[in-house]
Amino acid sequence: MSSADFILKGGLLLLPTGHVVGDVAVSGGKIVAVGDVGEAKGEVIDCTGLALMPGAIDTQVHFREPGLTHKEDLESGTRAAICGGVTTIFEMPNTDPTTTTAEALRDKLDRAEGRAWCDYAFFVGASKENIEDLPLLEMMPGTPGVKMFMGSSTGTLLVDDDDSVREVMKHGVRPMPVHSEDEARLRQRKAELPENPHVRLHPDARDAESARLCTERLINLVRETGRPTHILHISTKEELPLLAAAKKEGLPVTCEVTPHHLTLNADRYEDLGSFIQMNPPVRSEDHRLAIWQAVKDGLFDVFGSDHAPHTKEEKAKPYPHSPSGMPGVQTLLPLMVDRALRGELPLEQVVAMLTANPAKLYGIEGKGSLAPGFDADIVAWDLEGSREVSQDWLQSKCGWSPYEGKRLRGRIDHVFVRGHHTIRNCELVGEPSGAKVRFDWK
Ligand code: DOR
């Protein structure tokens, strides 16, 4: 066995098959051996007492570059990612301009080079104007595929009628993430809002029926077209039986849940106001509890953050002029690990839903496992430690989090991105070393 560049020694490896103490050897940015690993040319990093997992993959973030970089940019967003143990992000196309052409995608890839702290890929946005281009756009390097908004949210992207949705679904083969809220109903409900509404009306304006109806339409179109479809940020108890039935039927449907919908409820509009306004909304406790149960039952494939930063000034505008969305890329993994350490969910499931599952769903090459041959994207946790969600830890340009002041169980001590040591003893070190994600989806 040739000697490795460096070795992580004596950590508790969080493998899908169980938790075992062992070493991990890294060479050329890849894991080359696990368990009995031989010698290191370079550093031996003592991981005694630390738990090692693959870097988390967040398949839904909005990083606002180009066009809205006063809220976030690719450097600050990816820095927030690695500080929260996320070593790969998929970024959404509702920037300004939207990522709806080859040129716009190439521009994002150019902007990320040398500035991204974690690995990245950028979704192409479906619009009614680019449907014919989608088969070629989804094959470009650096994209996980096409994202579709069936209900309008931040930005201008929208494909709302069944005929157009069907055409989008027929113009491509890769799994397609969808924002599922029924646009016609959203418009009707918004028009019925009283004058000067309180933000607590947000879950009524974008009501549960808007989400249920759209998800039902979407599942029918999956049955008709066969297009693999990934339904984002599920927010209602009514969608859960639809998703369970679609999966049971063998339709190519997968789904995501966010920590926001699992840890916040509508009572929080009273203290956090429009700071927890997002689309689809955070809803009443009965929805939250039903979604938790569905996570425990194994309905959900992945956790995603839907990191959607807006400045405090923007958020402070009176509803409904306040923009929707909350930051979350940095708190995604820590919040879910905290819940696991409190005994609410097996740690193995948290790890799988943020590593192996998204890697499999999108056909990501070389990520999502601590096995030899995989990228050395590794997060080392002190599971006995804890971390306060505080201003000095948060990295997003927006400068706030709905979880500020909360103490979370578990502390991230080290993060490696393809072997680059980027968090060392809880401190950000080194240079941005992110690269485009590779896919083997064909
Ligand atoms: O609340 C949201 N904010 N939901 C979305 O779908 C978009 C996001 C944003 O980009 O601000």
Side-chain angles (χ1 to χ4, degrees):
M1 196 184 292
S2 61
S3 44
D5 290 350
F6 66 90
I7 288 175
L8 305 180
K9 189 111 198 121
L12 182 71
L13 310 181
L14 304 182
L15 303 177
T17 46
H19 299 169
V20 286
V21 173
D23 303 342
V24 178
V26 175
S27 274
K30 294 207 180 286
I31 296 171
V32 289
V34 175
D36 175 15
V37 302
E39 298 292 305
K41 280 189 286 219
E43 198 176 0
V44 175
I45 300 166
D46 181 13
C47 290
T48 312
L50 300 181
L52 307 190
M53 62 172 273
I57 302 169
D58 187 352
T59 49
Q60 192 189 176
V61 303
H62 303 265
F63 282 168
R64 311 302 193 197
E65 182 172 348
L68 301 157
T69 51
H70 64 287
K71 300 178 199 272
E72 195 75 284
D73 62 36
L74 291 170
E75 190 278 328
S76 60
T78 54
R79 177 159 31 87
I82 58 157
C83 290
V86 168
T87 54
T88 300
I89 57 93
F90 289 179
E91 207 263 351
M92 287 296 165
N94 57 336
T95 42
D96 185 12
T98 54
T99 322
T100 43
T101 61
E103 187 192 2
L105 174 59
R106 274 195 293 268
D107 176 53
K108 275 195 179 172
L109 290 163
D110 287 348
R111 287 167 180 272
E113 204 164 332
R115 290 173 57 229
W117 286 89
C118 68
D119 285 359
Y120 50 82
F122 299 105
F123 280 109
V124 168
S127 75
K128 292 184 192 176
E129 288 72 44
N130 73 353
I131 295 179
E132 298 294 324
D133 304 332
L134 295 177
L136 287 181
L137 287 172
E138 75 164 6
M139 283 197 285
M140 286 183 64
T143 184
V146 173
K147 149 82 180 276
M148 176 164 63
F149 283 89
M150 285 176 73
S152 51
S153 190
T154 304
T156 55
L157 286 171
L158 183 64
V159 182
D160 52 346
D161 62 287
D162 277 6
D163 287 344
S164 305
V165 170
R166 182 183 295 107
E167 283 310 304
V168 168
M169 293 173 90
K170 285 159 92 174
H171 282 76
V173 296
R174 297 181 79 175
M176 180 163 62
V178 179
H179 181 120
S180 176
E181 287 182 286
D182 186 87
E183 179 67 13
R185 189 174 171 94
L186 293 181
R187 284 194 189 162
Q188 181 203 330
R189 306 277 304 174
K190 191 169 180 193
E192 287 166 8
L193 275 174
E195 250 180 74
N196 305 321
H198 190 278
V199 66
R200 75 169 76 87
L201 292 184
H202 191 55
D204 294 324
R206 301 182 78 113
D207 69 351
E209 177 58 12
S210 309
R212 190 208 64 80
L213 180 60
C214 195
T215 293
E216 183 178 67
R217 286 170 51 209
L218 186 55
I219 290 172
N220 286 337
L221 287 163
V222 174
R223 189 179 295 109
E224 188 184 322
T225 62
R227 179 68 182 267
T229 299
H230 180 55
I231 310 182
L232 298 170
H233 41 41
I234 296 299
S235 65
T236 72
K237 59 179 193 253
E238 287 81 3
E239 289 165 285
L240 305 172
L242 300 180
L243 294 164
K247 287 189 163 197
K248 195 161 174 217
E249 189 185 332
L251 296 179
V253 168
T254 51
C255 50
E256 175 201 74
V257 61
T258 75
H260 305 321
H261 292 107
L262 285 170
T263 63
L264 301 169
N265 69 19
D267 297 345
R268 304 302 305 276
Y269 291 112
E270 306 309 322
D271 65 320
L272 292 169
S274 54
F275 284 83
I276 63 155
Q277 174 193 335
M278 69 172 294
N279 304 330
V282 166
R283 302 187 189 277
S284 50
E285 183 68 357
D286 50 332
H287 290 286
R288 190 185 77 85
L289 291 175
I291 295 170
W292 252 118
Q293 189 55 49
V295 170
K296 290 180 182 159
D297 294 343
L299 178 68
F300 287 97
D301 299 275
V302 301
F303 294 119
S305 74
D306 192 11
H307 177 82
H310 299 283
T311 65
K312 285 184 191 167
E313 293 70 31
E314 291 164 338
K315 276 298 206 179
K317 287 183 190 166
Y319 181 77
H321 306 292
S322 41
S324 292
M326 292 174 254
V329 69
Q330 191 171 345
T331 45
L332 168 70
L333 175 65
L335 279 170
M336 297 325 297
V337 166
D338 171 76
R339 293 297 167 130
L341 296 178
R342 290 173 196 273
E344 293 177 36
L345 203 61
L347 189 54
E348 290 85 344
Q349 186 181 350
V350 169
V351 172
M353 287 178 68
L354 283 166
T355 60
N357 292 11
K360 180 161 172 247
L361 202 164
Y362 283 105
I364 303 174
E365 202 176 295
K367 296 196 185 292
S369 171
L370 283 183
F374 280 76
D375 290 350
D377 297 342
I378 302 169
V379 179
W381 284 89
D382 179 348
L383 296 178
E384 303 292 317
S386 67
R387 145 86 59 205
E388 188 187 322
V389 181
S390 58
Q391 278 289 339
D392 62 341
W393 179 62
L394 291 168
Q395 306 287 321
S396 171
K397 253 193 192 181
C398 74
W400 60 276
S401 158
Y403 307 106
E404 240 169 285
K406 218 174 151 52
R407 183 157 282 282
L408 302 176
R409 291 191 188 171
R411 188 188 66 211
I412 295 172
D413 282 16
H414 298 275
V415 176
F416 300 84
V417 178
R418 276 172 298 94
H420 298 275
H421 205 164
T422 51
I423 303 288
R424 183 190 273 271
N425 298 321
C426 308
E427 299 293 332
L428 184 71
V429 292
E431 302 290 328
S433 54
K436 333 197 249 275
V437 174
R438 303 153 345 258
F439 294 93
D440 56 7
W441 56 278
K442 287 169 224 75

